[in-house]
Amino acid sequence: MAATILFALVIGLLFLGVPVAVSLGLSSIIVIAFLSHDSMSSVALQLFNSAQHYTLLAIPFFILAASFMSTGGVAKRIIRFAIAAVGHFRGGLAMASVLACMMFAALSGSSPATVVAIGTIAIAGMMQVGYSKEFAAGIIANAGTLGILIPPSIVMVVYAAATDVSVGRMFLAGVIPGLVAGAMLMLAIYVVARIKKLPAEPWKGYGEILQGGKQAGWGLFLIVIIIGGIYGGVFTPTEAAAVAAIYAFFIAIFVYRDMGPLKDIPWVPEDAPSKTRIGFSATVYGISLFGLWMTLSFFAFGDSEAVGFTVRFWTGLGAGVAAMIAYTIWRDPEGSLARVPSHLVAGLPIWGRNLGMIFGNFPTAMFHNDTRKVLVDASKTTLMLMFIIVNALLFAHVLTSERIPQAITELMLGAGFNWFTFLIAVNILLLIGGQFMEPSGLLLIVAPVVFPIAIELGVDPIHLGIIMVVNMEIGMITPPIGLNLFVTSGITGMSLLQVVKAALPFVAVLMVFLVIVTYWPALSTALPYAMMGPEIVTR
């Protein structure tokens, strides 16, 4: 009786247009007040406990990092690198857009952020070389969904909080499926491009790949920090999110300088002598190589006695010095080893100038209008999402206290369900629900119900999480509430119906991918099993 009334209240309120968070919270309070043995004080206690959930602290930091990366010009550098890598294939610009979405997804953890950051630039670029607006919009709408599958993912954090599984395992589980989904979309584009004779970009050589990678490298290094830091045992996923937010702020403001007090001020003045440019670039490459080696070796070896700090330091220092010398000789017209010190000294004033500007403008950058706008936008998104999550966790508490999942489990087992048919039912439920609800809200409603059933039927909890995330992906590009459809419509000026028609052919690719993920568990579990072992769930 309580279960029927609870679900009827939630569905009824949603169809009346009541916000998701209010629907969940109000339904839960009504059931507790009139049908449950719980006292009303449990509402306040549950809301307080939900707000104190340590795992959820990662969400505002990942949102903030994504906001800085979206605003800080990382997207255009990633797109250049992607075009250099795959643009020479037929349909290469569309394939590069998918690759760019995959890389930006590994920075943002958000599908809408990926669509906005990459789509704003990529759709216009595709149209300029002869792609139809509909084709370009369909590609971005679908590729943008990878933002919640490729780690780090905000939706994965939400699932982990709702089911008490490991965020680290969830992130690992999304790596291979994310790569497979991106590859399937790129293969579909290539087939369509061959049929429609879509254009290919000219091959610009490996130098362009290196140049594009160099420009995008500071942004892409965030992936190394997050993934390497978590699995190197340096920090937890929540701490990784905080580090990512600080790093994204520093890169956007002081390195790329696409926003903030140093906006559009180049690191090296245009009138700087060639000798100064060479010396400065050489030291940049040397210091970068040293920093990269020290970071990666720390993640890899940690406190290993065989490869201690001293060994790592001198190895990295030697590699950095060698890189400085090699670059200087390569770029110097005379190519003389004896001229290396003078080049390096000539570059020092550039370092002094830039470090002075960074330290001098740091307080200003903290309160600059660009920084304030990013913080406000990120705060709005965080408040909206956290309000949904807290109310959804109250809803999950009511489910648990009334033993509703256990009752549904017994009903399904009595009806002869096994893991195979259960996963079909889960997919159908989520595909239908995804058409009407925002991913995090739907996941928080469904996960507490289906999770105990999945465990009872022997479904791996990490595998179940990836299945649910992929369903959320498809939900973001299916009407009437597909968030990516609205975002794509907004950046292209197309009507929602036009975007739906454009995205539909590639939705079929993701549907095939959903079947593969559902019935090939190793695709999701192989990497987390190999690195962290299986998830242990106490029934």
Side-chain angles (χ1 to χ4, degrees):
M1 182 65 177
T4 304
I5 294 175
L6 178 64
F7 287 117
L9 282 170
V10 172
I11 295 171
L13 289 171
L14 288 173
F15 274 102
L16 288 174
V18 178
V20 174
V22 177
S23 299
L24 294 172
L26 184 59
S27 302
S28 303
I29 291 172
I30 291 173
V31 170
I32 289 174
F34 296 104
L35 300 171
S36 175
H37 296 295
D38 274 358
S39 66
M40 287 299 292
S41 62
S42 66
V43 175
L45 182 62
Q46 187 60 33
L47 290 174
F48 178 79
N49 289 337
S50 299
Q52 301 299 309
H53 205 301
Y54 177 72
T55 301
L56 294 177
L57 192 59
I59 293 176
F61 289 121
F62 277 133
I63 290 174
L64 184 58
S67 297
F68 275 116
M69 285 297 180
S70 300
T71 310
V74 177
K76 64 184 180 183
R77 295 172 173 86
I78 288 178
I79 290 173
R80 177 185 175 181
F81 175 59
I83 293 173
V86 299
H88 57 284
F89 294 104
R90 188 172 289 278
L93 197 54
M95 295 169 67
S97 299
V98 175
L99 181 59
C101 284
M102 293 170 68
M103 289 188 285
F104 195 84
L107 303 177
S108 69
S110 166
S111 285
T114 303
V115 172
V116 171
I118 301 299
T120 304
I121 303 170
I123 291 175
M126 283 188 273
M127 291 171 60
Q128 286 178 359
V129 298
Y131 292 81
S132 69
K133 192 177 193 178
E134 290 74 15
F135 183 82
I139 292 295
I140 294 299
N142 281 269
T145 63
L146 298 173
I148 62 172
L149 180 59
I150 296 176
S153 164
I154 293 172
V155 173
M156 288 183 185
V157 175
V158 172
Y159 173 80
T163 58
D164 284 328
V165 301
S166 164
V167 177
R169 287 186 177 87
M170 283 300 302
F171 282 1
L172 278 177
V175 172
I176 296 177
L179 295 176
V180 171
M184 288 178 65
L185 285 172
M186 292 170 72
L187 179 61
I189 291 169
Y190 182 75
V191 171
V192 172
R194 299 292 296 183
I195 295 172
K196 293 187 174 183
K197 301 188 184 305
L198 295 175
E201 295 292 301
W203 168 245
K204 297 180 181 179
Y206 293 104
E208 175 65 12
I209 296 178
L210 292 175
Q211 187 68 19
K214 182 184 73 173
Q215 287 198 3
W218 288 105
L220 295 177
F221 188 64
L222 182 59
I223 303 173
V224 177
I225 292 175
I226 295 173
I227 303 301
I230 293 173
Y231 302 110
V234 180
F235 33 64
T236 66
T238 301
E239 292 165 346
V243 172
I246 295 171
Y247 180 84
F249 164 77
F250 184 82
I251 294 301
I253 299 288
F254 297 117
V255 177
Y256 286 149
R257 298 181 179 178
D258 295 306
M259 57 182 293
L262 301 182
K263 184 176 181 179
D264 298 330
I265 298 177
W267 276 77
V268 182
E270 294 181 1
D271 58 350
S274 174
K275 186 175 184 179
T276 300
R277 289 179 175 273
I278 293 172
F280 175 73
S281 296
T283 53
V284 168
Y285 289 128
I287 293 171
S288 299
L289 181 60
F290 173 75
L292 180 64
W293 163 255
M294 292 300 291
T295 303
L296 293 178
S297 63
F298 180 71
F299 292 160
F301 302 112
D303 298 325
S304 171
E305 295 182 2
V307 187
F309 174 80
T310 303
V311 174
R312 292 189 292 108
F313 176 83
W314 287 109
T315 302
L317 185 62
V321 171
M324 286 191 285
I325 294 173
Y327 179 84
T328 305
I329 293 175
W330 174 50
R331 300 293 294 178
D332 183 14
E334 297 185 16
S336 170
L337 180 62
R339 288 166 54 88
V340 170
S342 63
H343 278 77
L344 298 180
V345 170
L348 292 179
I350 302 297
W351 276 107
R353 169 180 175 269
N354 283 279
L355 291 176
M357 286 193 297
I358 290 173
F359 286 110
N361 286 278
F362 191 84
T364 307
M366 299 288 288
F367 303 99
H368 193 272
N369 286 337
D370 291 342
T371 306
R372 189 183 301 115
K373 184 178 184 302
V374 170
L375 291 171
V376 169
D377 291 344
S379 299
K380 290 178 180 178
T381 304
T382 299
L383 289 172
M384 179 270 295
L385 189 55
M386 295 300 285
F387 187 52
I388 294 174
I389 290 171
V390 168
N391 282 280
L393 290 177
L394 176 61
F395 175 80
H397 167 72
V398 176
L399 291 177
T400 304
S401 64
E402 296 300 315
R403 296 184 56 80
I404 293 173
Q406 288 80 357
I408 298 175
T409 302
E410 293 171 3
L411 182 64
M412 296 185 75
L413 292 176
F417 273 74
N418 56 27
W419 72 272
F420 190 92
T421 52
F422 166 73
L423 291 180
I424 293 176
V426 169
N427 282 333
I428 293 174
L429 174 64
L430 291 173
L431 287 174
I432 294 173
Q435 298 179 24
F436 301 98
M437 288 189 65
E438 188 271 335
S440 296
L442 176 62
L443 190 146
L444 284 163
I445 292 173
V446 176
V449 178
V450 303
F451 187 80
I453 305 172
I455 300 304
E456 189 69 29
L457 293 172
V459 178
D460 186 274
I462 300 300
H463 178 215
L464 176 67
I466 296 301
I467 292 172
M468 297 187 79
V469 170
V470 174
N471 275 284
M472 298 301 99
E473 280 191 279
I474 297 173
M476 298 190 81
I477 45 175
T478 50
I481 313 294
L483 189 54
N484 278 18
L485 299 177
F486 287 97
V487 175
T488 306
S489 174
I491 63 176
T492 59
M494 298 167 62
S495 70
L496 186 63
L497 184 59
Q498 288 176 311
V499 176
V500 171
K501 290 181 178 178
L504 194 59
F506 297 100
V507 174
V509 176
L510 293 182
M511 292 294 289
V512 173
F513 173 66
L514 174 61
V515 174
I516 294 172
V517 165
T518 302
Y519 295 109
W520 188 8
L523 195 68
S524 306
T525 59
L527 197 56
Y529 275 25
M531 294 188 65
M532 300 180 69
E535 180 76 21
I536 305 299
V537 177
T538 304
R539 301 186 185 182

